[in-house]
Amino acid sequence: PAPAPWLAQRGPGIGAGAMAQGVVVRLVLLTTLTLQNAGQTLVIKLAQVHGSHPDSLVVMLLAELLKVAGSLLLFCMFEFEGSCSKYLSPTMLKRGMKLMPISWVFAVQNQLLFVGVHNLEPPVFQALSNLKILSAGIFSVILLGKKLTQIQWAALLILACGASLVQLESGLCRTSEPKEGAGVADPVKGFLAVLANCSLSGLAGCYTELMLKTEKLPMWYQSGMVASVSAVILGGLILLNRATDTAEVDKWGFFNGFVPMTWVVIVMISLGGLTVVAVLRYADNVLKGVSIVFSLLVSGVASFALIGSRIGLVFCIAAVIICASVFVYQQAPPQDVKSERPQSASGPASAPSEKQSA
């Protein structure tokens, strides 16, 4: 759907008040996206440090249920037209079922998120997570038929080099004093989890974009459908774990390992998913690029202040390289290509993976 008129930066018929409202919305989105990118990782880490060791499947199930409720509310507020039967018809539900592969991907991706955060410091995890743009670029060529310019391929190569520097630095970027309950971290395991997470994120982003183009479902309706199927999948996995591990059923209750910070994690993950959908509709590439820079800065400063992470010079250099490569990739002019597949309004400079969360 086209952005609201007051989101346009300039154009005939747009008054000063509408333009000012658009600026405010962009600032709100920038702040929210930055806090979501940096805050989610940091909150999960803080929860683990403070003794939060719940079943990650339960955490994600509750987050998905909350996301379903939020998506349904926003759908009714902004996208609902006609009657309920229109959206519950067999045809509409059949189109929505094409989103099931994405739901499976999200279920796996969210588990990898917890593994990565547990084994890496938040700034390192935040920097490595930008590899999702590399996977998104590759999958956009494979699934969407897009063609990247030479500048974009060079930016992706530089991004990979920056991520390699971050991994080299990860042995130095660690807490000054291990906290009780934080557990023993394995940077290699964390790096592999982030690598798999980013690969799935790129795949999910491109598949979602393909569904938006071909099925043309309302955005919040699609968000609710994906979250609903993900919740069903996670609920099935929880029941399967309980059935196969009967010796631990009594010991590991549904809310075992929960602390107050765990509920903050659930809310952050859920709101993060809704924020990504809002950014999908209203944000431009400049805002996304600036958000990535601010996210790394916020993550580094907050990690140092809250859990004592130490940031080395190599990490700082790598962070600059990553931010610069992401910005260049997003702002590179699109290549003129004759393709049968329709191009999105943002062109190939838009990184599909940034449309996820998760």
Side-chain angles (χ1 to χ4, degrees), residues 9-253:
Q9 291 181 345
R10 57 181 177 271
I14 302 300
M19 292 181 65
Q21 189 177 7
V23 171
V24 171
V25 170
R26 282 186 169 83
L27 289 176
V28 171
L29 279 177
L30 174 61
T31 303
T32 306
L33 185 60
T34 300
L35 293 177
Q36 188 271 327
N37 285 335
Q40 177 176 290
T41 304
L42 191 60
V43 167
I44 294 175
K45 192 71 174 181
L46 281 173
Q48 292 177 344
V49 168
H50 287 84
S52 174
H53 300 288
D55 186 347
S56 59
L57 291 174
V58 174
V59 172
M60 291 312 308
L61 172 61
L62 296 175
E64 292 298 325
L65 292 175
L66 188 58
K67 195 184 302 180
V68 170
S71 298
L72 180 60
L73 176 62
L74 291 169
F75 169 71
C76 293
M77 291 174 61
F78 299 111
E79 295 178 336
F80 182 80
E81 294 178 355
S83 61
C84 295
S85 59
K86 171 184 175 181
Y87 299 99
L88 297 177
S89 64
T91 302
M92 185 68 79
L93 294 176
K94 183 178 179 180
R95 291 165 61 188
M97 285 300 101
K98 293 182 179 180
L99 299 170
M100 286 191 64
I102 276 281
S103 302
W104 278 102
V105 170
F106 284 155
V108 176
Q109 184 184 340
N110 289 326
Q111 299 310 303
L112 292 172
L113 168 68
F114 284 92
V115 176
V117 172
H118 176 72
N119 290 284
L120 295 171
E121 292 300 315
V124 175
F125 180 90
Q126 193 67 45
L128 289 175
S129 293
N130 288 299
L131 282 172
K132 67 179 67 174
I133 298 177
L134 173 61
S135 66
I138 295 174
F139 282 115
S140 68
V141 173
I142 297 173
L143 294 179
L144 303 175
K146 293 184 178 180
K147 288 194 176 181
L148 305 182
T149 64
Q150 293 181 351
I151 295 177
Q152 288 177 310
W153 282 117
L156 292 178
L157 179 61
I158 295 173
L159 173 62
C161 294
S164 299
L165 286 177
V166 171
Q167 178 59 16
L168 291 175
E169 175 72 359
S170 63
L172 299 176
C173 181
R174 56 182 181 270
T175 54
S176 55
E177 294 181 3
K179 306 267 183 169
E180 183 180 357
V184 179
D186 184 349
V188 175
K189 183 179 180 180
F191 174 74
L192 293 177
V194 173
L195 194 61
N197 189 319
C198 291
S199 299
L200 292 176
S201 177
L203 173 62
C206 291
Y207 188 85
T208 300
E209 183 174 352
L210 184 62
M211 289 297 101
L212 284 172
K213 289 179 178 179
T214 57
E215 300 303 324
K216 303 186 184 303
L217 294 170
M219 189 170 295
W220 291 115
Y221 178 85
Q222 177 169 313
S223 173
M225 287 286 291
V226 172
S228 299
V229 177
S230 294
V232 172
I233 293 172
L234 290 168
L237 292 175
I238 292 172
L239 293 177
L240 180 62
N241 286 345
R242 298 298 192 271
T244 56
D245 195 5
T246 54
E248 297 292 326
V249 170
D250 295 333
K251 179 180 177 181
W252 298 98

